[in-house]
Amino acid sequence: MLDNLNPATGQIIAKIPNSNHADVAKATDAAKLALPNWRGLTKGERINWLNKIAQALEERSEDIAKTESMDTGKPIALARRVDAARSISNFRFFAKHAEQLTENKFTMADATNYVIRKPVGVVGLITPWNLPLYLLSWKVAPALVMGNTIVAKPSEMTPMTANLLAKTLHDIDFPKGVVNIVHGLGPSTGQAILEHPEICAISFTGGTETGKIVAKTAGPMFKKLSLELGGKNATIILDDADLETAATGAAKAAFTNSGQVCLCGSRVLIDAKIYDAFVPKFIDAVAAMKVGNPADESTDIGSVISQQHMEKVLSYIELAKQEGGTITHGGQRIIPNHASLQNGSFISPTVIENLSISSRCATEEIFGPVVTLHKFDSDFEAIEMANSTQYGLAGSIWTSDTTRGKQFAKQIDSGILWVNTWLHRDLRTPFGGVKNSGVGREGGDWSLNFFSELSNICVKDD
Ligand code: TXE
């Protein structure tokens, strides 16, 4: 059994099994057994089930928020507004989006081609600790509606809301064996999912290094693969940006969820002409963020996911000093003056200036409340800097001329770009990145296509 901690208090809140190959084999057998009936339902019947799950989760949304906040250390307000809300809307969205899914038909002079969709079969879902139920539901919903059955492994750091989902499915008499949750460490339990010959697709969200292991294991088995990995995203402040709006937006993009979102803007690139006017506004927005008890409604920044992760983030802050950086704000561990939080892993939101764009702190994913500021002298240089890392996931551009912003965005080698906003999500759009940020896209039709296999039936005219 593995201890599961509340990172804000350091207390053990649960124990989970470190499941082994035999456990994964049992879960896969259950998924296989349940597949014929589940895929045999009509799409409409499966859509009804997704709406029932959404309804049941909605009735538990406060419990989801509290559990997620306790399991991750994130503020309760964030867990409510983002994690719980999006877990529910993921099911609702894919129920609706699957309705409009059409099957293509291509007619020839003497024949007709019918493109039909079949489920992939038993699919493996492996998810990280930063947005536990949000990312698990993002994969479960489309996999189910396309007729697949599931073996899912949440991060061993955040098992609680996956269990909550399983309990919810049980409570609404959801067919047994369709969704199977297995708990445990990546190299043992996760690896067993990658290796199981009857799990036909892997949808993975996590770190780039682990993504390489997933690809190496599942690739030669010709499993379908969707890899959503890390990022080192640029927030670009153009010379004609509204400085107040851009400062607030850049701070939100940098420090939401303590910077533990793959979409976070961890590098802020600022036109040199407005650098001195922008930075004080940015620092004000960061200084206004309240670091404290995740259970407190007014907290903006909670604990990072673990003591180990806090040490990793603090080591990057030390490295920044060695690389010539100046810590303009924050830079240290915080121990809130609350008796229960003395063993928490709280880091102040940290702003670092004067680092080279090619420094390790400006090119490696830190995945914590740390942001580096950089000047550029031309749009061309800004694009070069934005594209200068091994990642290519997301980015945002702040300007008063949206035509210029869109033109600029087209030159950034990333999968997701925002102009004058951040984390504004239309679930129909493709989500994913290039280079070390992964392979494939999820969202809207891209999820429905990933979780289905296409067959073309060509019928000769009589
Ligand atoms: O990811 P891991 P973690 C990045 C971020 C973070 C780093 C590590 O840089 O610091 O990844 O975070 C399972 N076979 N992101 O530890 O290790 C593991 O148990 C099969 C970005 O969360 O990749 C967990 O369930 N599975 C990311 C899942 O993989 C394995 C969000 C993710 O764990 C495995 C989170 C193996 N050999 C972290 N090893 C994003 N893009 O959102 C581990 N796992």
Side-chain angles (χ1 to χ4, degrees), residues 273-453:
K273 295 190 286 299
I274 53 152
Y275 189 88
D276 295 339
F278 172 81
V279 171
K281 293 180 185 302
F282 177 69
I283 298 294
D284 287 349
V286 177
M289 293 178 168
K290 183 174 173 255
V291 181
N293 187 346
D296 182 336
E297 294 289 342
S298 64
T299 294
D300 300 304
I301 305 237
S303 169
V304 296
I305 188 66
S306 69
Q307 192 127 18
Q308 187 192 5
H309 192 54
M310 176 180 68
E311 300 305 341
K312 173 181 167 184
V313 175
L314 292 173
S315 72
Y316 270 105
I317 294 171
E318 284 319 302
L319 174 66
K321 296 172 190 166
Q322 291 155 28
E323 292 191 300
T326 316
I327 312 291
T328 309
H329 182 83
Q332 76 284 352
R333 176 183 185 179
I334 288 190
I335 304 199
N337 56 6
H338 189 289
S340 68
L341 303 178
Q342 299 312 297
N343 299 321
S345 302
F346 298 83
I347 303 173
S348 61
T350 298
V351 181
I352 304 171
E353 293 184 85
N354 304 325
L355 274 180
S356 152
I357 196 71
S358 56
S359 63
R360 284 188 53 203
C361 287
T363 50
E364 294 175 17
E365 185 182 46
I366 298 173
F367 217 62
V370 178
V371 70
T372 56
L373 309 186
H374 308 271
K375 284 180 194 168
F376 61 82
D377 292 316
S378 69
D379 283 9
F380 176 79
E381 188 188 8
I383 289 160
E384 287 277 292
M385 289 165 81
N387 291 337
S388 66
T389 73
Q390 290 303 311
Y391 293 99
L393 185 58
S396 62
I397 294 116
W398 300 78
T399 170
S400 55
D401 175 352
T402 49
T403 308
R404 181 186 176 200
K406 189 174 161 224
Q407 200 41 41
F408 204 98
K410 286 180 183 173
Q411 300 171 75
I412 309 292
D413 301 334
S414 294
I416 303 150
L417 289 147
W418 285 284
V419 177
N420 294 334
T421 184
W422 177 74
L423 205 62
H424 195 35
R425 292 278 293 115
D426 180 331
L427 305 187
R428 294 169 297 176
T429 58
F431 182 100
V434 295
K435 302 194 282 187
N436 282 1
S437 293
V439 177
R441 296 292 184 273
E442 294 190 359
D445 288 351
W446 287 271
S447 293
L448 301 184
N449 281 321
F450 177 75
F451 287 113
S452 53
E453 287 294 359

Side-chain angles (χ1 to χ4, degrees), residues 2-82:
L2 304 169
D3 289 342
N4 174 45
L5 306 183
N6 170 341
T9 64
Q11 297 301 308
I12 296 173
I13 52 175
K15 284 185 182 299
I16 60 167
N18 185 21
S19 306
N20 57 25
H21 273 77
D23 300 306
V24 168
K26 253 175 19 194
T28 308
D29 289 346
K32 262 176 53 196
L33 214 56
L35 184 59
N37 287 345
W38 182 250
R39 69 180 289 170
L41 294 182
T42 64
K43 188 175 72 171
E45 288 167 323
R46 291 195 297 267
I47 285 172
N48 287 341
W49 271 118
L50 257 61
N51 283 318
K52 267 190 212 153
I53 296 169
Q55 183 56 39
L57 290 175
E58 190 158 55
E59 287 157 15
R60 288 164 173 77
S61 65
E62 190 55 19
D63 189 10
I64 295 171
K66 284 202 172 75
T67 304
E68 205 71 293
S69 171
M70 191 173 64
D71 212 0
T72 59
K74 71 176 75 188
I76 179 69
L78 180 70
R80 192 178 293 126
R81 186 177 77 249
V82 171

Side-chain angles (χ1 to χ4, degrees), residues 48-193:
N48 287 341
W49 271 118
L50 257 61
N51 283 318
K52 267 190 212 153
I53 296 169
Q55 183 56 39
L57 290 175
E58 190 158 55
E59 287 157 15
R60 288 164 173 77
S61 65
E62 190 55 19
D63 189 10
I64 295 171
K66 284 202 172 75
T67 304
E68 205 71 293
S69 171
M70 191 173 64
D71 212 0
T72 59
K74 71 176 75 188
I76 179 69
L78 180 70
R80 192 178 293 126
R81 186 177 77 249
V82 171
D83 299 71
R86 254 306 286 283
S87 302
I88 295 154
S89 58
N90 282 343
F91 282 99
R92 286 234 163 87
F93 165 74
F94 280 109
K96 187 167 177 313
H97 198 72
E99 255 167 24
Q100 53 77 45
L101 191 68
T102 54
E103 290 196 333
N104 297 56
K105 198 167 78 171
F106 299 95
T107 48
M108 303 161 84
D110 59 351
T112 304
N113 295 277
Y114 301 90
V115 180
I116 63 163
R117 288 174 188 281
K118 301 176 181 172
V120 175
V122 178
V123 299
L125 312 179
I126 301 178
T127 45
W129 48 256
N130 61 329
L131 297 158
L133 190 56
Y134 172 130
L135 288 171
L136 177 60
S137 56
W138 178 241
K139 300 172 188 292
V140 166
L144 288 180
V145 82
M146 298 313 288
N148 302 281
T149 54
I150 291 167
V151 177
K153 191 198 83 67
S155 171
E156 59 280 14
M157 322 255 258
T158 53
M160 307 282 281
T161 46
N163 259 26
L164 225 170
L165 173 64
K167 264 186 262 165
T168 303
L169 296 177
H170 183 78
D171 292 350
I172 62 174
D173 293 326
F174 187 70
K176 302 248 174 295
V178 174
V179 175
N180 301 278
I181 309 278
V182 284
H183 289 293
L185 299 173
S188 48
T189 318
Q191 193 71 26
I193 293 172

